[in-house]
Amino acid sequence: MTSDAKTSNIQSFIFIILIYFAFFASGASALSAEVTWNRMLITVVGNSMSATSMIIVVFMGGLGLGSYAGGKVFSKRQPSLIPYVLLEIAIGVYILLSPFLFEWLSHAFSLLSEIISHRAGLTLLRIVVSLSALFLPAFLMGATFPAMISGAAPDSPDKRTARTGFLYSINTVGAAAGCFVAGYYLLYEFGVQSTLIFAFGLNIIASICAFTANTVNKSISPEVTTTPPSQVGLPIADTQLRRFLGTATFGIGFVALAYEVLLTRLGILYLGNVASVFALVLAGFLLGTGISAVLGTWIYGILHRNTKYSKNLFGFISLAAGAVVISIPYFLLTREGVTADMFTRSGTSAALFSYYSFLGIIIAPTILIGALLPIAIRMIQLEGRGEATKIAASLYALNTTGGLLGAGVANYFLIPIMGLQGVLILLASICASIGVINILVPGKSLQRWLAVAFSVVTLALVLAFLTPDIKSMYAEKIGESLLAQSVDVLLVHEGQAANVVVLDVSSPRKEVYRDMLLNGVEEASTRFWHTQLFKLLGTLPVMADESDESKDVLVIAFGAGITSGSVLASNDVSSLDVVDLNPDIEGINDLFTDVNGDVFHKPRFRFHNDDGRNYLVTTNRQYNVIIS
């Protein structure tokens, strides 16, 4: 090997290390900023499930559109990392300026909300605020994916798609690291401003690495980095394959984010209410996706070079993903998954054990789901660099759009209509459909399509009839956590905001009481001390108000209605407004009428489904007493 060739090889190695490090830092910065912005925006648009979903939908929508638009733009440009550098700098500047923008948006929201009195107008205002705050940086972050793969990919189609998969993987692992560090350490220890400065620093590191890589790449001899066209014998992807992979990656994105919502609900059984379960689930999904993207890209390359079965790898992994998707929640609800003593553990070592074990459970399904997008990109091996960039960016955008839809509809439509078990069967069936189509349909015969339809429908029916009732398992697991002698399940409701469970409990001390839990966390009970506490909470503030006029009272959080009932027991109260994140409180009220006086059906009672702070910011009403 000549000295020039050795030098070029060293430069190529440095180039690869630099672009991988840049994209890792970029992913870490993006999720550190997103977690922080989510914390900041909650104080503006509210802390309800609808507000959180709105933030996620806006952010993911921006990512998808940014990737799609970037694919179209960068596919027509000469390979260079300078556009990527400029994008990272722009994102960094926005991160630094975001506290000032968010403060202005908060002030504008408060002023406008005093003018707007109807709920639809306030919802529209929240959407406008979320779009104003998040769409631009999310769009720019989405555009960094095609900008990077356009400027960093080699000419060989096989090497190009492999590097795209590895870049996607390293970016996702960086995102997992940023989410975990920001969500569990920086925000708690140093606050919002320091976390944003940390994210900005990562953007600057990504920019410097990418700029240096671009400089190094210019000095590499073309003979080393370019594969002559005569040596490229890889097939050009046909239209049918592109359509299938586009639809499949959309479906997989839908499955992944809807499944993330389900695991977030079940995760509270594992961790209680002492940890940010959503941040842990998100970090687990990102980490699993990053790991599996590397494995999927690597395994596909081996199969493609040595066998004829690489085209079916996508299908077999989809089938396996469907099996894991439906089995993991049941494992969480078995004795092996969540044991009763996990609810009584205390101390740092016990908490770490719970975190790490739950994180491992989350990663298991994403090891399969996360491999599918990079495998799809590898299956489309186009000769033209620009066309390959556009197709890869489009697949990423479709995957993100599917995730946006999954996150948006899972809580508000699918779970209330179908229940957790029905949604699990739906997600497993989507994975199975994708797998069976990939394996059986290439012949395009009617018999093959009928075989696909029959297989998927049969699978869904078998799962519907043979899988255990997950609602009963959920209630029984909660009952076990109470260490009671016996438990009688009165209500299990899978609602938009939470899973509601009401139980009649016989304790080891012969005490019999009624208990109400939201997402596995006890909120209220009819135990003597609990009842007296909530009654005093409703009685004393009303008595302490010295005015002689009739009182308007606001109670934040309904629980079982004991506090609200004690408020309306006073003749001095003319009206009671109750604000609660959970919209499904009437059924709870009806099971606690002995201690709450059936407060929900009293004429002086009005209910508002919102979070307390946001309701107070947006209402024009004044109250004599506010109880939280």
Side-chain angles (χ1 to χ4, degrees), residues 130 163 231-232 272 334 415 517:
S130 299
R163 184 170 292 175
Q231 295 179 13
V232 179
T334 61
I415 292 176
L517 303 98

Side-chain angles (χ1 to χ4, degrees), residues 47-50 119 126 496-498 500 516 518-519 523-524 534 554-564 577-586 588-589 600 605-616 627-628:
N47 195 30
S48 63
M49 288 295 295
S50 59
R119 190 175 181 86
R126 288 173 179 138
Q496 292 181 353
V500 181
M516 190 272 286
L518 295 180
N519 285 335
E523 297 291 336
F534 285 125
L554 172 70
V555 172
I556 298 173
F558 183 78
I562 302 172
T563 296
S564 299
D577 286 359
V578 172
V579 182
D580 199 299
L581 292 172
N582 178 29
D584 307 309
I585 68 168
E586 185 173 8
I588 300 171
N589 170 86
F600 186 87
F605 178 90
R606 286 190 298 269
F607 175 65
H608 308 275
N609 179 215
D610 205 341
D611 74 283
R613 180 194 181 279
N614 200 64
Y615 175 79
L616 287 169
I627 303 170
S628 176

Side-chain angles (χ1 to χ4, degrees), residues 284-300:
F285 261 76
L286 292 170
L287 185 60
T289 299
I291 294 171
S292 62
V294 171
L295 294 175
T297 301
W298 176 64
I299 293 172
Y300 180 89

Side-chain angles (χ1 to χ4, degrees), residues 146 165 251 315 396-397 441 507 571 601:
Y396 178 85
V441 168
S507 71
N571 293 325
H601 298 106

